[in-house]
Structures are given as structure tokens and as C-alpha cells.
């Protein structure tokens, strides 16, 4: 059976990371794969993948991106993948990005806003394709009218339709009259969406309170504080909250408060509901962009892509725990998460 070179090299890279502590391991290599590539005349490419931290949404993006990249490149290329997880630490992000720049990678794939910012600070020469940067402009990237970014950066956005989330909340829990916003004030991706949520609430006369955090250890207390002061909770595509979502959702559910979230994985981890994107599809688009860049298209000619095919996602177990009955017409069109899917997602993110 023909071996999947990219999957093999990625597996070796992750194994190397585990032995070295997980955040700053050396690039893996495979002499047999390199020899095979040389013998076949295949072009060898070295890419660095930097991920701010591990949780199911970001992991899904990474897997989908690399699988799509391999499929798009075809047999004429062999890819060595250096995957690095910063474990939510900004100094780790900086170190990893600088190491990638020093190693002169052929491409850097940066997953989530902090990763993209770190990569852009580290190099203006190596092409960077980011994924899950919710608001590229707020993250400091100057997006031109045609959607392109001048320089060495492009990528995909996972922006969510805030208005649709609140419209869903009005359908599912119309008795909820106030909201508690839980988010990390240090994540531009979160701040940007929360500002839109606040504007929506202001325009519609909906009271809200804010419960902000700076790290994962503060999530539980922040959720409890918001639950004590509001009828329902809302968080966006916040990496810090997502990492602690199992705990956060349990606190909200125990308080009898529906927790509307920004990503499908957060629903799988116990959040009540969202209107969001499919992160596998986001990864596919990112992988296609990466392949374009590696085969010669400048990043400055590839517009940033924001997905617009949104789905309603509901955790039925959480709904039952809260005593909320989902209307049949919504159930028929929604993606419904139950205990089996949630357990699989939690295991994948462990």
C-alpha cells in the first residue's frame, strides 16, 4: 500500500514534540522520505504550523488544512511539517515564530489570531497563510478593498454572524432578557465580535454585563459571575474560553443559564447553541490557499476568505438539562449534538 507521506511526516513531528515537551521541539525529519523524494524527483517543501493552543476547533482546522494541502499538491511534492503548539503562551508563540523564520521555512501556516500576529512580527519574507483569524483588520492586517493584504500574508477568517446568534436565542429562549458576555480582553478576535454583540444589544434595548478574563484559570469564576448577573451567557470564538469550555458550560448549566457560543466545538463541549461555520471546511479553504502559495502564487494576490455558509448547532443534552424544548422546525434544519458526539469531541481535544 502506498504510504501517505504527509501524514507520516506529521505524525513524526508530533511524536518529536511530545518527547521535547510540546512547545518548542526541533523539526522532525525522515531520511527515508527525503531519499524517496530525491529519487522520484519530487520537490521537497518545509512548512511550519504554529497553533496558539489545542482545542477541538483549532485541531480540526490543522488536520483539514494539511490533508487538503497534500491533496492539492499531488505526487510532485513531498512535505515536511513542523507542527508547534504554543500552549496558550504568548512568549512561546514568539519563540516558535522566530524559529520558523530562522529556519527559512517555505511557508508558515498560523492557526488563530495570536499565531498569525506572532508569525507576521517574525518575518516579512516567508509567506504566511493564517486560519481562524476572526477579524484580520482588528488583528493589525491592512486588508485592501479587494480583500488582499499587502505583503507576505493571506488566509481565512472564521467570523460569526452575531445577529443570527441572537436571532436564534430569541427563538429558543425568548424569556431571556439580559446577557453576560464572557471573553478574553487580550484576544482581538474576541474583542471585535463582542463589540458587535454590544452594538446589537444597544440597538435592540437588550441589557448586558461583561465578565472578562486574561487566562484560562479565570474562566470558571468569570462564567459564574456572568451567570449570577444575567439571564443567558454569550461568548465568541475565544480561544481561552474554548480551552476551558467543558468546565465553563457545566458552571452555566448548573446555574440554569443557556450559554450561547461561537464555535461548533464549544457546543460539543457543553455550550447550548450557536450559528457558526464548519471548521473542516475552513481548513479545506486554508489548505487550498497554502497550495496556491507553495506553487507560486504570491500571498498578495490571494484575497482573505470569510466563510458564509453557516449552520445552526444545538447541544440537545444541554437543552434537556436546562429544561429547554427545541421547536421541531429548528431541530429539522439544525446540527444536533448529543452525548456521543460530545464525548468524541472532548476525547479528540484531550
Amino acid at each position: 500500500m502506498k504510504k501517505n507521506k504527509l501524514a507520516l511526516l506529521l505524525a513524526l513531528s508530533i511524536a518529536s514534540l511530545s518527547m521535547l515537551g510540546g512547545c518548542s521541539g526541533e523539526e522532525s525529519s525522515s531520511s527515508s522520505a527525503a531519499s524517496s523524494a530525491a529519487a522520484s524527483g519530487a520537490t521537497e517543501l518545509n512548512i511550519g504550523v504554529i497553533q496558539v493552543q489545542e482545542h477541538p476547533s483549532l485541531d480540526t482546522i490543522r488536520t483539514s488544512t494539511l490533508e487538503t494541502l497534500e491533496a492539492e499538491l499531488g505526487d510532485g511534492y513531498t512535505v515536511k511539517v513542523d507542527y508547534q503548539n504554543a500552549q496558550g503562551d504568548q512568549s512561546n508563540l514568539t519563540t516558535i515564530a522566530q524559529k520558523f523564520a530562522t529556519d527559512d521555512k517555505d511557508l508558515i501556516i498560523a492557526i488563530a489570531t495570536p499565531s498569525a500576529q506572532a508569525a507576521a512580527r517574525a518575518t516579512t519574507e516567508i509567506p504566511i497563510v493564517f486560519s481562524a483569524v476572526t477579524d484580520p483588520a482588528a488583528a493589525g492586517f491592512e486588508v485592501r478593498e479587494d480583500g488582499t493584504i499587502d505583503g507576505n500574508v493571506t488566509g481565512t477568517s472564521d467570523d460569526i454572524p452575531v445577529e443570527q446568534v441572537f436571532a436564534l436565542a430569541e427563538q429558543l429562549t425568548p424569556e431571556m432578557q439580559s446577557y453576560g458576555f464572557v471573553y478574553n480582553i487580550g484576544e482581538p478576535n474576541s474583542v471585535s465580535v463582542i463589540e458587535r454583540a454590544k452594538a446589537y444589544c444597544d440597538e435592540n434595548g437588550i441589557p448586558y454585563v461583561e465578565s472578562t478574563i486574561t487566562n484560562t484559570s479565570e474562566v470558571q469564576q468569570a462564567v459564574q459571575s456572568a451567570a449570577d448577573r444575567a439571564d443567558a451567557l454569550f461568548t465568541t470564538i475565544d480561544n481561552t474560553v474554548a480551552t476551558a469550555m467543558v468546565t465553563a458550560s457545566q458552571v452555566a448549566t448548573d446555574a440554569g443559564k443557556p450559554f450561547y457560543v461561537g464555535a461548533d466545538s464549544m457546543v460539543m463541549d457543553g455550550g447550548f447553541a450557536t450559528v457558526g461555520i464548519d471548521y473542516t471546511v475552513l481548513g479545506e479553504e486554508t489548505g487550498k490557499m497554502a497550495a496556491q502559495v507553495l506553487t507560486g502564487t504570491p500571498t498578495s494576490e490571494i484575497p482573505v476568505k470569510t466563510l458564509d455558509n453557516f449552520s445552526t448547532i444545538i447541544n440537545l443534552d444541554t437543552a434537556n438539562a436546562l429544561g429547554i424544548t427545541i421547536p421541531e422546525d429548528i431541530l429539522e434544519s439544525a446540527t444536533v449534538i448529543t452525548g456521543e458526539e460530545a464525548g468524541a469531541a472532548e476525547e479528540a481535544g484531550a
Side-chain angles (χ1 to χ4, degrees), residues 21-215:
C23 68
S24 58
E26 294 296 326
E27 181 180 54
S28 68
S29 63
S30 171
S31 57
S32 61
S35 299
S36 175
S40 66
T43 299
E44 183 176 299
L45 299 169
N46 291 276
I47 67 172
V49 178
I50 180 172
Q51 187 169 310
V52 60
Q53 58 201 53
E54 291 191 339
H55 62 69
S57 290
L58 301 187
D59 296 342
T60 296
I61 291 169
R62 185 183 75 247
T63 300
S64 180
T65 296
L66 294 175
E67 289 178 348
T68 302
L69 173 60
E70 180 195 25
E72 291 288 316
L73 289 176
D75 294 335
Y77 297 85
T78 183
V79 180
K80 292 176 67 176
V81 176
D82 183 358
Y83 163 58
Q84 300 284 344
N85 163 30
Q87 300 177 337
D89 187 293
Q90 183 61 50
S91 63
N92 285 345
L93 280 174
T94 300
T95 300
I96 293 166
Q98 290 174 344
K99 180 65 164 54
F100 284 173
T102 301
D103 291 344
D104 197 24
K105 300 293 188 186
D106 293 301
L107 174 72
I108 297 173
I109 296 175
I111 302 176
T113 299
S115 304
Q117 292 173 313
R121 286 193 297 267
T123 178
T124 58
E125 300 296 328
I126 299 172
I128 298 166
V129 174
F130 60 67
S131 190
V133 173
T134 307
D135 188 337
F141 300 109
E142 295 184 12
V143 182
R144 296 179 289 211
E145 288 188 7
D146 64 355
T148 60
I149 299 174
D150 187 27
N152 62 322
V153 181
T154 190
T156 58
S157 168
D158 61 348
D159 197 12
I160 65 171
V162 171
E163 298 80 4
Q164 292 185 41
V165 176
F166 282 99
L168 177 66
E170 180 61 28
Q171 290 180 287
L172 299 181
T173 54
E175 70 279 9
M176 302 299 165
Q177 300 299 307
S178 62
Y179 286 87
F181 298 148
V182 182
Y183 65 103
N184 185 345
I185 56 175
E187 291 192 34
N189 46 296
S190 298
V191 174
S192 173
V193 177
I194 290 295
E195 287 302 316
R196 284 162 42 208
K198 290 194 289 188
Y200 178 90
C201 289
D202 289 339
E203 292 171 5
N204 290 276
I206 302 171
Y208 59 85
V209 298
E210 298 178 67
S211 194
T212 61
I213 57 174
T214 59
N215 58 67

Side-chain angles (χ1 to χ4, degrees), residues 312-336:
T312 297
I313 307 161
I314 300 170
N315 190 313
L316 195 58
D317 292 339
T318 301
N320 291 336
L322 293 169
I324 298 172
T325 300
I326 310 299
E328 285 297 326
D329 61 327
I330 295 178
L331 279 177
E332 289 175 0
S333 60
T335 298
V336 177

